[in-house]
Amino acid sequence: MKTSDFSYELPPELIAQTPIERRDGSRLMTLDRRTGETGHRRFYDLPSLLRPGDCLIMNDSRVLPARLLGQRLPGGGACEVLLLTDRGDNIWECLVRPGRKLRTGARMTFGDGSLTAEVTGEEAEGNRLVRFRYEGIFLEVLERLGKMPLPPYIKEELQDRERYQTVYSKVLGSAAAPTAGLHFTQELLREIEAKGVALGYVTLHVGLGTFRPVKEETIEDHPMHSEFCTIPPETADLINRTRAAGGRCICVGTTSCRTLESWAGEDGHMEPRSGWTNIYIYPGYRFKVMDGLVTNFHLPESTLIMLVSAFAGREAVLSAYEEAVRERYRFFSFGDAMFIS
């Protein structure tokens, strides 16, 4: 298939720059993947779309405040470092700016000087290996000095960085939020449980590859990025019990979907598992576990809109997106949501 088959026209003003005041007050488009029928609700209506005996699977990864603003040494010129992957021994794979001045051997300082760094290597894609030096616990230093790594299409400064975290996030490691989960509140989760829907959690640490456009002309030629994910025993057991009893397994976000589909057996049976996944889901894929999906509206020609199209059908998804544009839905990370069943 052609990458251009997954394009659509989006007015720039529909790209949400800030979260709305009430998390679960966002709009919710429903899409029936069998009929293509759409509907329009609010996210707090989600419990009415779920059934007793369903399970809702969420990604509990927490976003690192991984964007560091500092100065180059010597000279004091400005620099920016974005942490991507922990390589161990205080070395992280990072994106850096300005790249031409941050070659191997370059040194940097951040904040009050309590965090310093040196570029120790360069990767084929242009990323840098950076060794950090500090006193104490690195994550505590990051909490004090780091900023949230918002997507490049968000130009506004985030006033409350907890709004780029889900209310159930707990495992630090993501470079971007699993944004479908941003709509949930603790009250809404309690309401969902009270209806007889079980909640389960997986962990997938979201990488910046999720924002990279597909540059190849045909989608099959795109090299998919890898991300680390975990399915704990209690979640695997929950999914197996739910499916055995005839309930639906509904994923919150494409990250939860990719985690489950990476490790499910051909018959849909789940086992506990941890590891790296580069699963690439596009039309033609046969889903083994997922029966429903809560998701945001995704970038044109992205691997995420391809995944959604694999689940609901390309024509139905693009038609729903065109309807969302006409209805002035808000798009992308801080935007509105879809429930596909």
Side-chain angles (χ1 to χ4, degrees):
M1 298 185 76
K2 300 293 186 185
T3 300
S4 57
D5 292 337
F6 299 90
S7 184
Y8 65 92
E9 294 295 324
L10 180 66
E13 66 270 17
L14 296 185
I15 300 174
Q17 293 296 312
T18 56
I20 63 172
E21 184 174 349
R22 177 177 171 178
R23 282 182 185 259
D24 62 359
S26 53
R27 298 170 74 183
L28 179 67
M29 175 182 278
T30 58
L31 173 61
D32 187 320
R33 63 195 180 106
R34 285 164 290 275
T35 66
E37 182 181 357
T38 58
H40 305 280
R41 298 175 179 246
R42 292 286 172 177
F43 201 85
Y44 50 68
D45 295 322
L46 181 64
S48 68
L49 302 172
L50 304 176
R51 306 170 191 159
D54 288 345
C55 69
L56 199 64
I57 305 300
M58 295 167 282
N59 180 7
D60 63 7
S61 183
R62 187 167 174 82
V63 185
L64 286 164
R67 182 170 170 245
L68 291 164
L69 304 178
Q71 293 78 41
R72 305 192 305 274
L73 296 174
C79 65
E80 180 176 340
V81 173
L82 185 61
L83 308 180
L84 298 179
T85 306
D86 185 356
R87 294 292 193 88
D89 196 27
N90 294 328
I91 295 176
W92 285 72
E93 183 178 346
C94 302
L95 291 174
V96 300
R97 289 196 298 185
R100 67 187 185 281
K101 295 189 176 181
L102 292 173
R103 301 291 186 181
T104 301
R107 294 180 298 119
M108 297 163 280
T109 182
F110 304 94
D112 54 7
S114 60
L115 178 65
T116 60
E118 180 180 351
V119 179
T120 61
E122 302 177 26
E123 300 287 273
E125 293 183 348
N127 296 350
R128 304 291 194 265
L129 298 179
V130 179
R131 184 189 300 276
F132 292 93
R133 292 182 175 84
Y134 52 90
E135 294 290 333
I137 300 172
F138 186 57
L139 292 179
E140 292 181 357
V141 175
L142 271 188
E143 286 288 346
R144 182 163 51 86
L145 298 179
K147 294 179 176 290
M148 279 296 168
L150 296 178
Y153 48 75
I154 293 178
K155 310 302 181 186
E156 298 277 341
E157 189 76 20
L158 183 63
Q159 299 304 312
D160 176 7
R161 65 186 189 181
E162 279 302 307
R163 291 305 305 272
Y164 197 56
Q165 305 277 16
T166 64
V167 297
Y168 48 78
S169 65
K170 64 179 182 180
V171 186
L172 273 169
S174 278
T179 55
L182 295 179
H183 306 280
F184 287 89
T185 64
Q186 294 292 359
E187 293 76 15
L188 188 63
L189 291 172
R190 286 194 288 269
E191 184 180 346
I192 289 169
E193 282 191 293
K195 185 164 183 175
V197 176
L199 306 181
Y201 299 92
V202 297
T203 303
L204 181 142
H205 292 315
V206 187
L208 287 185
T210 192
F211 298 118
R212 291 201 177 113
V214 176
K215 297 179 179 178
E216 288 72 19
E217 185 177 349
T218 59
I219 65 175
E220 294 86 354
D221 293 336
H222 175 68
M224 191 66 177
H225 60 282
S226 295
E227 294 166 315
F228 191 83
C229 60
T230 300
I231 301 173
E234 60 270 22
T235 302
D237 290 344
L238 169 62
I239 293 168
N240 292 333
R241 291 197 313 270
T242 298
R243 290 174 58 82
R248 298 179 299 174
C249 178
I250 296 167
C251 292
V252 175
T254 57
T255 59
S256 298
C257 167
R258 292 180 67 239
T259 301
L260 299 192
E261 294 293 327
S262 292
W263 308 129
E266 286 301 315
D267 60 354
H269 183 77
M270 296 299 309
E271 295 285 348
R273 183 94 179 254
S274 289
W276 292 88
T277 180
N278 64 348
I279 189 171
Y280 183 15
I281 298 176
Y282 52 82
Y285 178 84
R286 185 183 69 82
F287 286 85
K288 301 187 285 288
V289 180
M290 185 172 76
D291 302 303
L293 177 65
V294 177
T295 188
N296 279 17
F297 292 91
H298 302 294
L299 278 72
E301 301 186 355
S302 65
T303 60
L304 304 183
I305 195 173
M306 292 172 191
L307 183 155
V308 175
S309 296
F311 186 59
R314 187 185 71 89
E315 292 80 6
V317 168
L318 290 178
S319 176
Y321 272 52
E322 290 169 3
E323 184 175 349
V325 169
R326 289 195 302 272
E327 296 293 328
R328 310 296 289 177
Y329 272 67
R330 303 168 81 243
F331 278 67
F332 305 161
S333 295
F334 287 139
D336 296 314
M338 297 181 76
F339 176 56
I340 305 174
S341 62

